[in-house]
Amino acid sequence: MPEYSLQLENLSKTYGHKDEENFVCALKDLSLNVNEGTFFGLLGPNGAGKSTLINILAGLVIKSKGVVKVQGFNQDRQIRSFKRSIGVVPQETNFDPFLTPYESLDIQAGLYGVKKKDRRINHILKKLGLETKANAYMRSLSGGMRRRLLIGKALVHNPKVIILDEPTAGVDIELREMLWSYMKELNANGTTIILTTHYLEEAESLCDQIAILDDGELIAYSNTRELIDRINLKIVHIKYNGILKKNFTLPKNISIKEHENKRISISYNKNDLKTDELINFFRSKKLEILDLSTEEPDLADVFKLLVKKSNS
Ligand code: ADP
């Protein structure tokens, strides 16, 4: 059994010619290992290189340099095993209008060499809530149903690694929930799930490992909880009574945001200051604290902090 589902070794991708104006280095010597059975989130701002990486894995974009392995199979040398190990759910929805969902999945299974007796078309249609549409014309399917079918097409050969590119962008809550419960079930059975998403809350709740790409480089890769804990940010919301002076200077790297009705939010580093000290500071300024609540940082805070840092 391979230890890693995905291995990237010094992966680079450039678009255009070096001397030309439109030359872009979309992935820069990227190295990364994803353990088998992980629910892995690949995040990054627009232009970071996420689609380039997913398209390389899907065989739609040719890498410039480096090694890509899935389940230990080298993309250049063990092409068939590589392709059988991976199922990619793309963003776009291109379908043959003359096929029904059943036929579409059946043909896809055939392309992957899945024997007739091993095909699980009805099972997949049922899992995706498409069983009543199995024999419907493609043009009668809604946008959401077509997206479900795309997911089905990536699953017909029972891949060990599933890659989802922005799977819930613009889809309704029902589809989102259905998709995640299906992916969780597959992950619980040992399938590695790799996804890109703009919904950081979604990544935080689903993924056990997170990598952040920025400008073609990996700027963070860690266990989700550790990544959030690492930033040591603390946010305190206070409702006060008294007069907050305009030239109010706060100790040690604290930032303050004023809201309506004498409410403020204060952000600081947990290592620099204790909540006690903050309260004492307020009292020394003759401000009475009427209400206080604390907020733990989330993945969105980590993202903002790291992406900003690497751009500064
Ligand atoms: P993301 O998916 O994170 O938004 P992309 O992989 O789409 O990032 O893009 C990474 C960089 O590569 C960007 O600067 C983008 O403009 C460039 N790029 C992507 N695809 C192409 C292409 N086909 N031709 C030229 N440049 C491209």
Side-chain angles (χ1 to χ4, degrees), residues 15 22 24 26 44-53:
Y15 293 105
N22 59 359
V24 179
N46 278 334
K50 304 178 298 293
S51 302
T52 298
L53 174 57

Side-chain angles (χ1 to χ4, degrees), residues 12-190:
S12 295
K13 173 67 193 174
T14 55
Y15 293 105
H17 198 268
K18 230 186 175 133
D19 310 321
E20 288 168 6
E21 225 175 74
N22 59 359
F23 179 76
V24 179
C25 199
L27 296 176
K28 300 171 182 162
D29 253 340
L30 194 63
S31 292
L32 173 78
N33 289 330
V34 177
N35 281 325
E36 218 177 5
T38 308
F39 210 123
F40 176 86
L42 178 69
L43 312 178
N46 278 334
K50 304 178 298 293
S51 302
T52 298
L53 174 57
I54 296 226
N55 288 335
I56 290 174
L57 295 171
L60 300 170
V61 164
I62 311 286
K63 65 183 190 284
S64 306
K65 200 170 75 65
V67 177
V68 179
K69 289 182 190 166
V70 165
Q71 292 299 110
F73 298 117
N74 187 313
Q75 188 177 29
D76 301 324
R77 301 207 198 112
Q78 294 152 297
I79 304 160
R80 280 171 73 89
S81 303
F82 180 97
K83 282 193 176 165
R84 279 197 187 155
S85 303
I86 193 170
V88 182
V89 182
Q91 280 188 40
E92 85 284 3
T93 51
N94 270 337
F95 287 104
D96 186 334
F98 301 107
L99 295 179
T100 66
Y102 187 96
E103 288 165 344
S104 173
L105 294 186
D106 199 44
I107 289 171
Q108 186 77 1
L111 290 175
Y112 275 101
V114 182
K115 293 198 183 98
K116 281 263 183 215
K117 67 174 176 48
D118 296 330
R119 293 186 192 171
R120 307 165 306 135
I121 312 298
N122 285 323
H123 170 79
I124 293 173
L125 287 170
K126 191 157 180 230
K127 278 286 176 192
L128 295 169
L130 286 174
E131 69 269 45
T132 58
K133 295 283 172 185
N135 301 310
Y137 283 117
M138 205 66 89
R139 61 173 177 271
S140 71
L141 301 187
S142 67
M145 288 171 183
R146 289 177 193 197
R147 282 193 81 113
R148 290 176 202 212
L149 192 58
L150 268 188
I151 297 160
K153 282 179 85 170
L155 300 180
V156 287
H157 56 301
N158 205 13
K160 288 292 291 171
V161 183
I162 298 171
I163 307 217
L164 303 133
D165 192 8
E166 291 283 345
T168 50
V171 306
D172 58 44
I173 293 172
E174 192 198 355
L175 173 53
R176 208 174 268 212
E177 285 176 355
M178 185 273 312
L179 174 65
W180 293 139
S181 83
Y182 192 17
M183 290 304 129
K184 280 186 201 165
E185 185 187 318
L186 291 169
N187 182 241
N189 291 329

Side-chain angles (χ1 to χ4, degrees), residues 208-303:
D208 25 72
Q209 300 272 323
I210 300 272
I212 303 179
L213 260 189
D214 192 17
D215 200 17
E217 290 178 298
L218 202 61
I219 56 165
Y221 177 28
S222 169
N223 181 292
T224 309
R225 197 61 250 166
E226 278 169 20
L227 192 65
I228 294 167
D229 286 347
R230 223 199 300 162
I231 67 163
N232 288 319
L233 180 78
K234 182 114 189 169
I235 303 159
V236 176
H237 303 287
I238 293 176
K239 178 163 171 58
Y240 64 91
N241 194 12
I243 295 165
L244 191 68
K245 296 216 172 78
K246 276 281 166 250
N247 57 351
F248 192 82
T249 41
L250 284 157
K252 296 175 200 159
N253 284 332
I254 300 176
S255 72
I256 181 164
K257 206 167 164 188
E258 284 188 62
H259 309 288
E260 286 178 346
N261 302 325
K262 299 203 168 192
R263 287 182 185 275
I264 50 173
S265 306
I266 299 170
S267 314
Y268 58 95
N269 186 314
K270 282 192 269 206
N271 296 333
D272 287 349
L273 191 77
K274 295 202 172 65
T275 311
D276 276 24
E277 290 180 79
L278 189 71
I279 293 170
N280 288 337
F281 176 79
F282 257 74
R283 291 202 173 124
S284 74
K285 299 285 175 198
K286 306 264 179 296
L287 293 166
E288 188 190 355
I289 295 174
L290 299 177
D291 190 19
L292 180 145
S293 63
T294 59
E295 186 189 322
E296 291 303 319
D298 58 18
L299 195 57
D301 296 312
V302 177
F303 191 80

